[in-house]
Amino acid sequence: MRICFIGDSYVTGTGDEACQGWAGRLCAMERRGGLDVTLYNLGVRGQTSRDIARRWRQETAPRLDGRDEGGIVLSFGVNDCTRTTAGRPRVAPAESLEITRLILEQARQLCPVLMVGPPPVGREDPDIRTHALSTAMAALCGRLTVPFLPIWEPLRMDPLWCAEIAHGDGAHPAGGGYAALARLVHQWPAWRAWMRTVAPLGARA
């Protein structure tokens, strides 16, 4: 199964000393479990939903088009909620949701799609906006019947996620935080359902 992980710096794994992030750790767990998954990390640091909307189709096309075993995992939103110098979010909540709706509606026509919500950073000002956006994204995905994994609350309570952010660059965790997020996705029923369709390693002729 070829899987495109599309999003921002949290998808890239910025801050991870092993340069794996949660997507790399997640797929490594599946391969250690004997499943034939191929990871395409299409995260770009600093990008908002607007930026992702402009590039996701062009970047997934050469990796997934013409194949029946592909999938897309979307995860973004924190940068939308970051304040500009004028004090406003970089992308207004209503626009974030409209862009997300358009991406989801187009992507699910191509292959199975999952969405992972935006994480917290451990500071009240951005976290309030990010939590509100995550809640709205969950409702949108529910209407579109796209599985959505809310990670804001479990990561806010995780002993490593916010602690590593505080000791790092103030926005990104280190490997321990990304490992915690990878475990959340690994245990997610929607992800496990995907993995039940994946061929075992070495199964191809």
Side-chain angles (χ1 to χ4, degrees):
M1 188 175 191
R2 299 183 178 211
I3 306 173
C4 290
F5 292 81
I6 305 170
D8 50 27
S9 57
Y10 297 98
V11 171
T12 302
T14 300
D16 181 3
E17 66 279 5
C19 297
Q20 285 186 299
W22 63 268
R25 284 175 162 79
L26 174 64
C27 290
M29 282 191 282
E30 301 302 352
R31 290 187 67 84
R32 285 195 298 270
L35 298 181
D36 189 3
V37 295
T38 297
L39 160 70
Y40 294 110
N41 192 316
L42 303 178
V44 178
R45 189 171 184 175
Q47 288 207 328
T48 66
S49 58
R50 280 194 206 118
D51 302 313
I52 293 163
R54 284 192 287 265
R55 69 177 174 87
W56 76 269
R57 184 67 188 103
Q58 181 180 3
E59 294 183 7
T60 56
R63 296 167 172 89
L64 299 181
D65 280 7
R67 298 182 176 274
D68 58 7
E69 81 283 16
I72 291 174
V73 179
L74 295 161
S75 185
F76 52 82
V78 173
N79 291 316
D80 289 34
C81 298
T82 303
R83 289 188 187 275
T84 65
T85 54
R88 295 186 294 271
R90 288 177 64 190
V91 182
E95 184 183 355
S96 292
L97 289 176
E98 178 60 15
I99 292 171
T100 302
R101 182 186 67 79
L102 291 173
I103 294 173
L104 290 171
E105 288 184 341
Q106 295 167 16
R108 69 179 183 172
Q109 295 178 27
L110 305 173
C111 61
V113 178
L114 301 177
M115 185 162 196
V116 175
V121 297
R123 299 191 307 278
E124 183 177 5
D125 180 62
D127 279 353
I128 289 174
R129 292 191 299 279
T130 304
H131 185 252
L133 180 60
S134 177
T135 301
M137 284 176 164
L140 171 65
C141 286
R143 293 193 295 272
L144 297 176
T145 65
V146 172
F148 180 88
L149 178 64
I151 60 172
W152 192 96
E153 291 178 346
L155 289 181
R156 192 70 178 83
M157 296 183 291
D158 186 272
L160 284 178
W161 182 268
C162 291
E164 288 189 350
I165 289 174
H167 287 91
D169 65 1
H172 305 94
Y178 286 116
L181 176 47
R183 288 191 295 270
L184 288 175
V185 182
H186 186 260
Q187 298 162 6
W188 183 22
W191 175 263
R192 298 268 35 101
W194 266 24
M195 293 302 102
R196 286 195 291 273
T197 71
V198 177
L201 286 166
R204 296 189 182 210

